[in-house]
């Protein structure tokens, strides 16, 4: 079989949470920086068709692509590192694989045959892996396999990798196995046994790792690398150390130092050059040498979980570097925010972001936060539910509509300033049925948004069922909150602003999904800038 696209599979061993996504994204960055058109795909071995139906406690943030796929948060890392949009094809779950095989069976495509895990499920996995390669858009496709080697649910994926390696032939497909080399402080030693076992488990499925990337908290000594090479059938140069980094954005350089890109390209029989990381390193320099700092409150109900607001946190890192300031994000739990403690919790902040979300829990705290920042001129960015809370707060406290609410929280409210979208009224199924993906938005000249984006037409990604109720638009605008961004086809309000306030912007879409290292999101950049200005003004007036 001949192929022009090369495939790299990334598997994980010993434990989850080793950062396969970051390693995959870092390698992709190094390959992209040498001129290879590279993309990354994530295969997730769970039965949900996509992560859209899981809550952040289960799965962290749900990342949304331009084409409206609800996907794994690792796709966010891929986009942030590569600055290339991903799509539905970049995330495939067991649920989706089975769904399409069962649909084919019902259509009679396997008529007369018994449908089995091997070959039907594995064939479907193989075709999903090759879909991106066959598009002709990529020289290299990196496929990250979720879960840990040895898990029952990963088996069909590992079998598909075995078959693909065989089908595609030497130099066309390789496997990178990411493992943990733990440090036992009682013994004062790094231990290789878990890695040996996980490589053996992989071999039981007929897959040989070509490269080992070893996560470690301490430097791996040479003799330990030799030992790993010997026991795990890899060359010494293919034992790569991945030591803890202070920022994920250091990992491409750490992998470069370790020669990961060189070994990979050699194994794929491709030429290797020095990657051009000029722009990346300029970003790192700005990130690591801030001239000042600001503190921004992140009001949400999942703030105790690092992964729930991943893209928002990363957007602040990009925007901070762009402004050469350190952004300290202070998580504030919306459930515990009340009229009595709002001043204590929020008065010191230089900016406040009210996070997206679903359901009633914590919304009162979000509304209190908006009230406090609106009355105290603190820069505010509301995203999706955060924007909706800003509208409710304004309706209640400025227009005097005491019962103003979203019909998501109270279906019988007398003033539904936020209401279910018309297109959602017939929807009964939960999965993949929200207003998803990129939609156009027309910006009003003279608005903050227009100034921020420097254009009148933008496309941003969405994930919601409720919207600003246009029946209240005139009343709300007359009172001082303006709708400055509208969907040109439906008139749906995408952005609200309060021109008399320092910097108050609510957006129905999710800007955080589009912020990358190469392209920090202009809205986050402007918000951080407003926070810097606000902090300076405070210091001067003290
Ligand atoms: N729950 C709100 C809606 O569905 C907001 C969604 C969100 O914040 N992503 O409209």
């Amino acid at each position: 079989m001949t192929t022009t696209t090369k495939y790299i599979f990334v598997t994980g061993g010993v434990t989850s949470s080793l950062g396969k996504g970051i390693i995959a994204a870092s390698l992709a960055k190094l390959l992209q920086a040498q001129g290879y058109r590279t993309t990354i795909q994530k295969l997730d071995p769970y039965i949900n068709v996509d992560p859209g139906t899981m809550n952040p406690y289960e799965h962290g943030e749900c990342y949304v692509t331009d084409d409206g796929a609800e996907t794994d948060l690792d796709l966010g890392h891929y986009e942030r590192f590569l600055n290339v949009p991903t799509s539905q094809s970049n995330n495939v779950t067991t649920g989706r694989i089975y769904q399409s095989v069962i649909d084919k069976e019902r259509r009679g495509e396997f008529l007369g045959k018994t449908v089995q895990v091997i070959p039907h499920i594995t064939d479907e996995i193989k075709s999903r892996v090759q879909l991106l390669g066959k598009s002709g858009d990529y020289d290299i496709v990196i496929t990250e396999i979720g879960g840990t080697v040895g898990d029952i649910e990963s088996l069909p994926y590992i079998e598909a990798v075995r078959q693909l390696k065989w089908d595609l032939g030497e130099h066309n497909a390789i496997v990178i196995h990411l493992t943990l080399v733990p440090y036992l402080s009682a013994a004062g030693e790094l231990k290789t046994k878990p890695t040996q076992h996980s490589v053996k488990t992989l071999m039981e499925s007929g897959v040989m790792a070509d490269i080992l990337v070893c996560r470690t908290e301490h430097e791996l000594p040479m003799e330990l690398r030799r030992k790993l090479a010997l026991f795990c059938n890899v060359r010494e140069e293919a034992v790569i150390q991945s030591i803890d980094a202070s920022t994920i954005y250091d990992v491409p350089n750490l992998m470069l130092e370790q020669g990961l890109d060189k070994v990979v390209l050699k194994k794929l029989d491709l030429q290797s050059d020095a990657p051009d990381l000029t722009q990346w390193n300029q970003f790192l320099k700005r990130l690591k040498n801030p001239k000042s700092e600001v503190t921004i409150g992140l009001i949400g109900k999942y703030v105790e979980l690092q992964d729930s607001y991943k893209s928002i946190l990363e957007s602040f890192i990009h925007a901070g570097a762009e402004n050469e300031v350190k952004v300290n994000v202070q998580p504030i739990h919306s459930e515990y925010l009340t009229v009595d403690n709002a001043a204590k919790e929020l008065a010191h902040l230089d900016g406040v972001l009210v996070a997206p979300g679903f359901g009633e829990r914590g919304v009162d705290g979000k509304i209190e936060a908006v009230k406090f920042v609106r009355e105290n001129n603190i820069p505010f960015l509301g995203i999706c539910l955060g924007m909706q809370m800003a509208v409710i707060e304004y309706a209640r406290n400025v227009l005097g509509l005491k019962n103003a609410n979203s019909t998501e929280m109270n279906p019988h409210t007398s003033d539904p300033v936020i209401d279910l979208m018309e297109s959602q009224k017939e929807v009964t199924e939960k999965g993949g049925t929200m207003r998803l993906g990129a939609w156009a938005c027309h910006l009003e000249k003279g608005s903050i948004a227009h100034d921020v984006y420097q254009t009148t037409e933008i496309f941003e990604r969405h994930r919601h069922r409720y919207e600003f109720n246009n029946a209240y638009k005139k009343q709300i605008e007359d009172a001082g909150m303006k709708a400055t961004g509208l969907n040109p086809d439906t008139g749906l309000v995408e952005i609200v602003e309060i021109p008399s306030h320092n910097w108050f912007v609510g957006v129905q879409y999710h800007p955080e999904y589009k912020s990358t290292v190469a392209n920090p999101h202009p809205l986050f950049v402007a918000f951080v800038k407003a926070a810097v200005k606000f902090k300076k003004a405070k210091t001067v007036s003290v």
Side-chain angles (χ1 to χ4, degrees), residues 144-442:
E144 177 194 346
I145 302 189
T148 308
V149 164
D151 294 348
I152 291 177
E153 54 224 33
S154 299
L155 284 173
Y157 292 94
I158 302 295
E159 169 60 14
V161 170
R162 186 193 68 76
Q163 292 181 20
L164 273 171
K165 259 192 112 176
W166 182 254
D167 295 347
L168 295 164
E170 214 191 344
H171 302 309
N172 290 323
I174 59 167
V175 171
I176 299 178
H177 189 57
L178 181 63
T179 86
L180 177 71
V181 178
Y183 180 77
L184 289 192
S185 43
E189 269 182 65
L190 285 161
K191 291 296 187 187
T192 64
K193 197 69 82 187
T195 299
Q196 295 180 39
H197 280 300
S198 99
V199 170
K200 279 219 177 82
T201 309
L202 200 55
M203 264 162 41
E204 278 166 20
S205 304
V207 174
M208 290 266 261
D210 296 282
I211 296 171
L212 292 183
V213 175
C214 306
R215 293 283 293 111
T216 173
E217 290 171 5
H218 299 269
E219 293 279 336
L220 293 185
M222 210 50 221
E223 82 261 16
L224 198 132
R225 291 186 197 223
R226 260 185 227 124
K227 187 172 167 188
L228 278 169
L230 178 70
F231 280 101
C232 302
N233 291 315
V234 296
R235 296 197 182 282
E236 260 170 59
E237 58 172 15
V239 179
I240 304 287
Q241 156 185 300
S242 168
I243 203 155
D244 288 357
S246 59
T247 155
I248 54 170
Y249 299 108
D250 272 339
V251 180
N253 280 312
L254 292 175
M255 291 302 105
L256 179 66
E257 278 165 28
Q258 289 284 313
L260 176 62
D261 56 320
K262 271 213 181 80
V263 193
V264 163
L265 290 169
K266 191 166 148 194
K267 287 195 182 288
L268 292 175
D269 208 12
L270 292 172
Q271 194 190 325
S272 98
D273 274 317
D276 179 4
L277 293 174
T278 317
Q279 199 193 14
W280 186 270
N281 288 333
Q282 281 164 354
F283 157 79
L284 277 176
K285 198 167 159 203
R286 285 194 301 273
L287 179 69
K288 292 181 176 182
N289 298 288
K291 299 203 168 100
S292 60
E293 58 183 300
V294 288
T295 304
I296 291 184
L298 170 64
I299 322 284
K301 63 175 171 177
Y302 301 110
V303 287
E304 69 278 24
L305 305 167
Q306 276 195 45
D307 281 351
S308 309
Y309 302 113
K310 194 83 205 159
S311 294
I312 292 178
L313 297 175
E314 299 303 325
S315 301
F316 275 127
I317 292 175
H318 309 155
E322 188 68 14
N323 281 291
E324 296 183 89
V325 307
K326 180 171 191 312
V327 180
N328 301 309
V329 177
Q330 191 176 323
I332 297 171
H333 208 301
S334 53
E335 242 185 318
Y336 310 123
L337 204 58
T338 62
V339 63
D340 298 324
N341 67 11
K344 185 172 152 276
E345 298 286 336
L346 308 173
H348 63 287
L349 297 169
D350 307 314
V352 165
L353 186 147
V354 176
F358 294 84
E360 234 198 313
R361 186 166 71 90
V363 295
D364 291 340
K366 287 186 171 173
I367 294 172
E368 267 329 312
V370 179
K371 180 167 189 284
F372 187 85
V373 299
R374 181 179 57 76
E375 291 177 346
N376 291 281
N377 248 326
I378 299 175
F380 166 80
L381 179 59
I383 298 184
C384 207
L385 186 71
M387 172 266 200
Q388 298 176 355
M389 293 301 115
V391 173
I392 293 171
E393 190 281 323
Y394 208 75
R396 285 188 191 173
N397 300 322
V398 179
L399 275 69
L401 304 173
K402 290 291 163 226
N403 296 319
N405 214 332
S406 163
T407 48
E408 181 180 4
M409 316 309 159
N410 176 4
H412 309 294
T413 173
S414 53
D415 283 306
V417 291
I418 303 293
D419 200 5
L420 193 62
M421 276 181 281
E422 206 44 50
S423 55
Q424 287 287 325
K425 293 196 172 145
E426 304 301 314
V427 173
T428 49
E429 294 214 345
K430 288 278 182 266
T433 55
M434 284 189 243
R435 179 173 181 246
L436 290 165
W439 293 88
C441 171
H442 183 82

Side-chain angles (χ1 to χ4, degrees), residues 53-78:
T53 52
M54 285 185 241
N55 76 29
Y57 289 112
E58 294 281 321
H59 193 266
E61 168 188 281
C62 174
Y63 184 79
V64 179
T65 57
D66 276 335
D67 66 347
E70 295 177 281
T71 71
D72 186 77
L73 60 79
D74 274 343
L75 271 76
H77 292 309
Y78 308 162

